[in-house]
Amino acid sequence: EANDLNSALHKVLKAAFCSNNLARGINESCRSIEEFHNGDEENKSALCILAEDINDDGYKKLIVALCNTENVPLLQVDSKTNLGEWAGFARYDDEGNARKVRAGGVVVVRRWPESERTNVDIILQHMKQSS
């Protein structure tokens, strides 16, 4: 199931990045969590994804607190390197293999991409089961 979730996350993040609905890094992510909420349930960010292997505890606490305050769903993934690759922080060689992958600690999906509805459902189903 983890592979299905990881593959669904990869596709959803790629589609969100292409449609300019992905905030990458702590500054953009914090801004997206706060700005898009504005007390309106329809306007809040769809999902925040945080890497568990971040070394800075203050970083984690800030993101968790913001998500709790603004009622934005939070999903934690194992690796900041994987999250960085999924969020587009990588260069690819001619064969499609990721090279020069930069780590990414947090990303926020502002809106679910319509083109990846089945993968969005996989993510939502996993979040229901884990809560």
Side-chain angles (χ1 to χ4, degrees):
E1 184 181 322
N3 269 348
D4 291 341
L5 178 64
N6 287 345
S7 132
L9 277 171
H10 185 157
K11 291 175 182 171
V12 166
L13 290 179
K14 185 175 181 179
F17 177 68
C18 291
S19 62
N20 202 24
N21 281 321
L22 187 67
R24 307 181 301 174
I26 193 163
N27 288 334
E28 279 185 42
S29 296
C30 289
R31 221 174 310 130
S32 290
I33 292 169
E34 292 173 331
E35 284 179 4
F36 280 88
H37 188 60
N38 296 331
D40 182 7
E41 282 299 309
E42 295 298 316
N43 260 346
K44 74 177 185 177
S45 295
L47 176 67
C48 179
I49 305 170
L50 178 67
E52 289 178 352
D53 63 346
I54 294 175
N55 299 330
D56 187 359
D57 283 338
Y59 190 107
K60 286 182 187 177
K61 287 178 185 175
L62 172 67
I63 296 298
V64 171
L66 268 176
C67 288
N68 288 338
T69 303
E70 301 292 349
N71 294 323
V72 173
L74 176 67
L75 179 65
Q76 295 201 357
V77 295
D78 296 332
S79 167
K80 60 186 176 187
T81 306
N82 286 347
L83 186 57
E85 182 182 345
W86 299 338
F89 286 140
R91 299 281 182 237
Y92 294 91
D93 62 12
D94 294 338
E95 291 139 21
N97 299 321
R99 302 279 184 231
K100 296 185 182 179
V101 179
R102 275 189 27 223
V106 63
V107 297
V108 174
V109 178
R110 294 182 183 116
R111 301 275 171 272
W112 292 119
E114 292 299 320
S115 61
E116 293 293 335
R117 215 54 223 161
T118 55
N119 290 315
V120 169
D121 292 340
I122 291 171
I123 295 168
L124 294 174
Q125 189 67 25
H126 171 78
M127 290 173 53
K128 269 186 201 168
Q129 290 173 356
S130 63
S131 58

